[in-house]
């Protein structure tokens, strides 16, 4: 458990460090994500590609599955960035996966060189809901 909650800037920094661990030999597009769970715990992940291209998994879904399979059910914040520091907004599939664990979730990235924060509900209005 983290003692003090990391700042948005720190989450972006952790996401960038995580991006260095991406396995992206096909696209060379290395992405990292850092997730602050509502418990206060922080998780990181990176994209993992596959020679069967469609099996590649985005950094966001890697980090969400790490957190959820560790017992987390709510996401407070998720920061996403490339290894080179450029921002990335989650793809549509990842938006739906993040939304499943929404807790007023804020997505943090970089746009035009500046930190930007937007809610998952803004990024995915009228999300598909089964229950
Ligand atoms: N990717 C992510 O990891 N997150 C995104 O939000 C968009 C795309 C990955 C998937 C693939 O490995 C590479 O970036 C190029 O699409």
């Amino acid at each position: 458990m983290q003692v003090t909650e990391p700042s948005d800037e720190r989450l972006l920094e952790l996401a960038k460090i995580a991006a260095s661990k991406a396995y992206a030999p096909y696209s060379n597009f290395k992405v990292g994500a850092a997730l602050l769970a509502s418990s206060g715990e922080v998780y990181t992940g990176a994209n993992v590609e596959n020679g069967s291209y469609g099996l590649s998994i985005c950094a966001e879904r890697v980090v969400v599955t790490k957190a959820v399979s560790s017992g987390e059910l709510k996401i407070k914040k998720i920061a996403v960035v490339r290894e080179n520091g450029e921002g990335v907004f989650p793809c549509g599939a990842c938006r739906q996966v993040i939304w499943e664990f929404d807790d007023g979730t804020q997505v943090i990235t970089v746009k035009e060189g500046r930190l930007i924060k937007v809610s998952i509900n803004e990024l995915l209005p009228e999300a598909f809901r089964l229950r």
Side-chain angles (χ1 to χ4, degrees):
M1 167 73 111
Q2 293 270 139
V3 180
T4 49
E5 200 169 280
S7 65
D8 297 344
E9 289 77 9
R10 177 67 183 149
L11 284 172
L12 271 178
E13 207 172 86
L14 291 170
K16 194 172 170 187
I17 294 167
S20 68
K21 301 283 199 317
Y23 176 73
Y26 306 106
S27 71
N28 284 317
F29 195 93
K30 292 181 148 200
V31 183
L35 182 158
L36 174 66
S38 293
S39 68
E41 199 67 53
V42 174
Y43 299 84
T44 61
N47 52 329
V48 179
E49 298 186 343
N50 191 272
S52 177
Y53 293 175
L55 300 182
S56 300
I57 178 164
C58 295
E60 295 92 321
R61 274 176 289 156
V62 168
V63 80
V64 170
T65 52
K66 276 177 78 173
V68 173
S69 61
S70 299
E72 308 288 357
L73 290 173
K74 292 291 170 196
I75 302 170
K76 193 163 182 183
K77 296 178 181 177
I78 181 167
V80 190
V81 74
R82 289 178 68 183
E83 190 187 27
N84 65 8
E86 282 176 19
V88 177
F89 282 99
C91 76
C94 290
R95 291 179 193 199
Q96 180 72 34
V97 170
I98 294 165
W99 182 87
E100 180 83 16
F101 305 100
D102 178 38
D103 192 18
T105 308
Q106 297 288 311
V107 175
I108 300 160
T109 189
V110 176
K111 190 176 174 184
E112 290 156 8
R114 292 190 171 191
L115 183 150
I116 182 169
K117 193 153 67 161
V118 58
S119 78
I120 191 65
N121 280 301
E122 253 181 282
L123 290 178
L124 189 67
E126 305 294 350
F128 172 70
R129 176 194 296 265
L130 191 58
R131 59 187 170 85

